[in-house]
């Protein structure tokens, strides 16, 4: 299959017709209408290869991991641990077998950071810094911990073009213990200057936490090169299954962190009056982990790597440019784009407003045309307040989308505009 | 596949573009209640003046889609000036029309729907399950406000 | 398929040959040796139907739930919510659509109870009661919370036959806020008197928390009839996928509980300085949930229900009786059984000691014969201390096992004994 | 499929049934260190008397399988009376034999293994990855004890 994918590329462009052959959802659409999927930022579709990997696991190798002496359990464990190493390598981790903690999604990973690291790092006099464009996943865990132990949260704001305002970064970071920033906004599309932010955090002695939920599916990540300390990501947005995500962190940091979820598999010893936690990464993985999901995610990473993250980015960029040009061209001033005007500064996510039509109604009319877009606050309510609206419509692109999808989007939006105006 | 015309009837688009009883009332005397649709960010803010167990005045502000805004507007017409007991009655019938609280089987009584007058225009929403929450948001907010006013 | 299964039963006995046809792992064994799987208490195998349900979901319906207006997202949401209702009904819940919280496994569910309920229910003067036969999943979350907020944990012990010692139950429960008990021990096999324990808890004004991780796969559960307040279970032990479990609790209790994991989907509103939680059960489900896993679990429950929990129990009981009789018969005093002598008082789990052979070595030799059993502390170290050993070997049975599997177990154990003695 | 005979060599069964240097030493003078295999519950308790940078005496108690017990017994023979530096050297060679810390490719140097003497009997464990943790438990405990004694 890998060879099929490779042959789909010529000079950094993907052949979407070839790619789609790998995605069963394009073979047998659910409804008798076109299937124009523009919601990969919420969750991507899965290639055949990922389903086969999970299926093979269940059909031939399943048993619980870590605790079995028999061959099948060893095999299951080996596959689960190989998936860990695969995720670690994909991120450029130095010690992949010890630095990746599997969680159920990116959100759990953020909660693990807040509770596991926050409780040893912070007290009521501490300061952490987040941005106003964070997803709730990198906000609410901190707000919960704040209620429990108290500390100050400062926020970096962003300007009307969706760029973080970094003029006063040094004063904002003064005295901070941690800076947490999304690598790519799921609403504005903005790709943030991560290396610069990480360096600034370190200058002030703060740890740098990155939200890669949107970034990792679309760009090459290199935690070592970017000098990131902790990073959260999720499987289902990058061709993997639901039910799995991960925290990557430098091993010294994981060592410092207290366990978060308690239970089987994360302990060295348990007595009736206390317990001793196991080693990293196991001390953070309580109970039976998402084994088949880890295997599926590893296969998704294989798929992404065989396509090539560079080609993928080039493809995203091409579609984003095409979309911005055509939406503005066809809808004129009725179309309002959120986030950077320059496609190169953003990922394949386009949030917009259509004059006189509420985003829900936009999505509803688009659905009639088979065009799937998301409408709402995109789990980023503070961001929405900052841009002065309660909801936007959002189209997002991935390797199986092409220009024809965007043409369909434009046509459907023209229809929605006509219906309401 | 349900048809968009069922959803976007003319009355609905009219109430969306020209919402009745929109605005605010100073509080006090008004009671203020906010409602959220957690899934989409829609917000409705209700201002109620209750006198002698009647809804003497009602105003609505907030952000929302055509369905939640028109539902709010239609609701304000339906309950303004009415005794609270009667407002509850309309609420109950509306919920039945939306397929909530009704018989398991669904289809609301025809008589029930007729008695709702212009509100019946929202009947098409039932075919779009996700939008039911939009339609019921102002009503749930109203019932929370009344519950609070009663104690 | 359902009809195949029904025809597999005659007078409460399952036709294992017919059942096995549904389990691909029996069709194509991993290794060129017999496949005698006696480790279902760690994790069960999956029938074809479950894999197909998940596969169909990914192939035709996948998209993120709850936040989408388009038809595909509605369909995914409907399937996810239908799974919730299915789990609730399976447990006998009164309000299944509001009382089931999906988690990644039973362990997360216990952590949710400890943090979500424990933090509103307990303070440093409070008392909770657990038993010495609990799995770490129902111990460590409480030990973590104890470190954080302080309270007393009392333990109900058990006797040498593996029965809870309930003589002093009333004095143990005096002043307690919660009693947490496993419905069936994963080591001893003991099935505990749940209705009696729940009634005792309620007499003392304590809430009753049940661990159904082992019980639910094998017995009919009726939370209403048993008067349970909260219950945790896990999908992968009951023919479902990895990556999913649940907390069921009465809606009044869920309403009282504070959110545990923070993030998207569990909020009504988020501001930079605080958040408002959503309604139950959503306020406990942060981030993208295990959607495909919920769909797969629902299909597993369909499978179990078509077999019939009564027939399943009868089958387990028959195998357990056969196992105890034959192991004792063949190995004599070299075989030491843990837990109740009476098969009717236990589930299909047989932990034992083979004289002169460490459980690890037992499992190793058995593996050579294709017999898969678990060896170790089974995530129940306090229990192990109580029975005076560091490890046991454990064979466990499910609907795809038969007497021939047990014959193979006996023969392999004879071999292990000979090798070491 | 790896053969059981590779694992359960006669020396191993002998050391399992008749562990050398088993028991305890009062502390002080002995240093006591406990090790757990978190995955299976095996426990080893080491009693070390260190004098003039040599392991003057060593005793071992605990619970464990044939592999961890025989490995502990063989270890005690290999390090008893030896200077700490030499014990570290054996430890390093043992870890290489177990495939830990070695070249990525695996296979340890033949000379290396030979120099381990009776310990070489544990070489078969490498073919049973799960059991490697059993074999290394006493060694990891030893290295923790020494590390602690050094401050
Ligand atoms: C009695 C009992 N409780 C809880 C659990 C935890 O289940 P999980 O690992 O799926 O969280 C298990 C399984 O290991 C168990 O046997
Ligand atoms: C930027 C960002 N962070 C975090 C998340 C949370 O991911 P998950 O829902 O898989 O936990 C998302 C996805 O919704 C996201 O877009």
């Amino acid at each position: 299959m890998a060879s099929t994918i490779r042959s789909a590329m010529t000079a950094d462009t993907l052949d979407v017709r070839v790619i789609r052959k790998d995605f069963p959802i394009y073979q047998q659409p659910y409804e008798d209408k076109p299937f124009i999927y523009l919601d990969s930022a919420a969750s991507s579709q899965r290639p055949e290869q990922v389903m086969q990997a999970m299926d093979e696991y269940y059909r031939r190798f399943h048993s619980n991991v870590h605790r079995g002496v028999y061959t099948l359990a060893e095999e299951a464990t080996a596959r689960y641990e190989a998936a860990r190493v695969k995720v670690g390598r994909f991120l450029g981790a130095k010690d992949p077998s010890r630095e990746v903690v599997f969680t159920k999604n990116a959100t759990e990973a953020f909660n693990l950071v807040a509770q596991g690291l926050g409780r040893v790092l912070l007290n009521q006099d501490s300061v952490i810094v987040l941005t106003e464009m964070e997803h709730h996943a990198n906000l609410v865990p901190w707000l919960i911990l704040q209620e429990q132990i108290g500390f100050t949260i400062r926020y970096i704001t962003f300007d009307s073009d969706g760029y973080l305002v970094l003029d006063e970064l040094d004063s904002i970071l003064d005295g901070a213990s941690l800076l947490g920033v999304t690598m790519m906004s799921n609403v504005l599309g903005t790709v943030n200057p991560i290396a610069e932010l990480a360096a600034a955090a370190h200058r002030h002695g703060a740890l740098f936490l990155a939200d890669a939920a949107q970034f990792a599916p679309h760009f090459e990540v290199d935690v070592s090169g970017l000098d990131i300390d902790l990073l959260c990501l999720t499987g289902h947005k990058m061709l993997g299954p639901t039910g799995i995500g991960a925290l990557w962190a430098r091993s010294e940091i994981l060592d410092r962190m207290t366990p978060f979820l308690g239970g089987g598999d994360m302990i060295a010893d348990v007595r009736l009056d206390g317990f001793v936690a196991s080693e990293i990464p196991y001390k953070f993985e309580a109970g039976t982990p998402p084994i088949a999901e880890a295997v599926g995610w590893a296969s998704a990473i294989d798929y992404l790597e065989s396509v090539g993250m560079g080609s993928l980015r080039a493809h995203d960029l091409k579609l984003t440019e095409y979309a911005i040009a055509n939406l503005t061209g066809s809808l004129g001033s009725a179309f309002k784009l959120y986030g950077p005007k320059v496609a190169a500064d953003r990922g394949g996510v386009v949030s917009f407003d259509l004059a006189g039509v509420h985003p829900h109604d936009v999505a509803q009319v688009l659905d009639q045309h088979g065009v799937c877009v998301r409408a709402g606050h995109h789990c980023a309510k503070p961001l929405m307040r900052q841009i002065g609206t309660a909801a936007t419509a959002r189209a997002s692109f991935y390797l199986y989308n092409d220009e024809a999808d965007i043409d369909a989007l434009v046509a459907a939006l023209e229809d929605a505009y006509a219906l309401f105006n | 596949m349900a048809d968009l015309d069922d959803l976007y009837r003319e009355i609905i688009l009219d109430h969306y573009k020209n919402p009745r009883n929109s605005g605010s009332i100073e509080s006090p005397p008004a009671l203020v209640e906010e409602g959220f649709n957690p899934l989409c960010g829609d917000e409705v803010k209700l201002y109620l003046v209750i006198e002698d167990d009647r809804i003497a005045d009602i105003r609505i502000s907030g952000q929302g889609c055509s369905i939640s805004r028109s539902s709010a507007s239609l609701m304000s017409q339906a309950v303004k000036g009415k005794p609270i007991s009667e407002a509850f009655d309309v609420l109950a019938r509306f919920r039945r029309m939306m397929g909530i609280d009704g018989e398991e089987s669904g289809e609301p009584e025809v008589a029930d729907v007729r008695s709702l007058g212009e509100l019946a225009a929202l009947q098409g929403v039932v075919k779009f399950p996700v939008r039911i929450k939009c339609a019921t948001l102002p009503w749930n907010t109203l019932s929370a406000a009344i519950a609070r006013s009663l104690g």
Side-chain angles (χ1 to χ4, degrees), chain A residues 41-42 104-110 133-138 182-187 211-215 232-237 244-245 378-379 394:
Chain A
K104 69 174 173 178
N105 52 26
T107 302
E108 185 196 335
F110 281 106
M133 64 167 79
E134 295 311 300
H135 186 278
H136 293 163
N138 193 23
T182 186
M183 297 177 80
M184 169 182 155
S185 163
N186 64 315
V187 182
D211 179 353
Q214 292 293 339
F215 188 88
C232 302
L233 76 172
T234 198
H236 68 95
K237 293 191 205 278
I244 193 151
H378 313 294
C379 295
R394 180 187 74 185

Side-chain angles (χ1 to χ4, degrees), chain A residues 129-347:
Chain A
V129 179
L130 304 171
T131 85
E132 290 185 356
M133 64 167 79
E134 295 311 300
H135 186 278
H136 293 163
N138 193 23
L139 288 173
V140 184
W142 299 110
L143 294 171
I144 291 177
L145 184 68
Q146 192 181 37
E147 274 181 23
Q148 292 170 353
I149 66 169
F151 52 86
T152 302
I153 308 180
R154 293 187 199 135
Y155 292 92
I156 301 175
T157 191
F158 57 89
D159 66 22
S160 58
D161 279 337
Y163 294 98
L164 289 177
V165 177
L166 300 178
D167 308 346
E168 309 196 347
L169 186 57
D170 279 299
S171 72
I172 294 179
L173 282 172
D174 187 43
S177 303
L178 180 134
L179 169 61
V181 178
T182 186
M183 297 177 80
M184 169 182 155
S185 163
N186 64 315
V187 182
L188 306 169
T190 318
V191 172
N192 287 317
I194 295 305
E196 184 187 327
L197 289 162
H202 293 151
R203 259 198 323 274
H204 290 270
L207 292 173
F208 186 74
L209 163 66
D211 179 353
Q214 292 293 339
F215 188 88
H218 296 271
F219 295 84
E220 202 184 313
V221 180
D222 177 10
V223 288
S224 306
L226 294 168
D227 208 8
I228 294 172
D229 298 306
L230 306 103
L231 177 144
C232 302
L233 76 172
T234 198
H236 68 95
K237 293 191 205 278
M238 46 192 284
L239 311 185
T242 55
I244 193 151
L247 166 67
W248 164 87
R250 286 192 291 108
S251 51
E252 313 87 78
I253 296 177
L254 290 181
D255 274 328
R256 267 180 80 183
M257 286 169 60
T258 53
F260 170 44
L261 298 179
D265 241 29
M266 52 66 74
I267 55 93
D269 193 20
V270 178
R271 298 175 318 280
L272 294 175
D273 59 355
F275 70 98
V276 181
S278 182
E279 302 164 349
I280 65 166
Y282 308 110
K283 77 172 176 184
F284 303 112
E285 295 185 356
T288 303
I291 313 169
E293 289 75 9
V295 170
W297 194 8
S299 159
I301 290 175
D302 281 338
Y303 192 95
L304 287 173
E305 287 181 338
S306 76
V307 169
M309 298 309 286
S311 309
L312 216 162
R313 169 59 184 156
H315 181 71
D316 281 343
L317 190 57
K318 186 184 68 178
L319 291 185
T320 307
E321 274 166 356
Y322 185 85
I324 294 179
N326 281 274
L327 288 163
T328 319
S330 303
L331 298 158
S333 62
F335 175 80
K336 176 174 165 195
L337 176 74
Y338 294 105
K341 307 265 174 302
V342 184
D345 291 349
R346 50 196 299 158

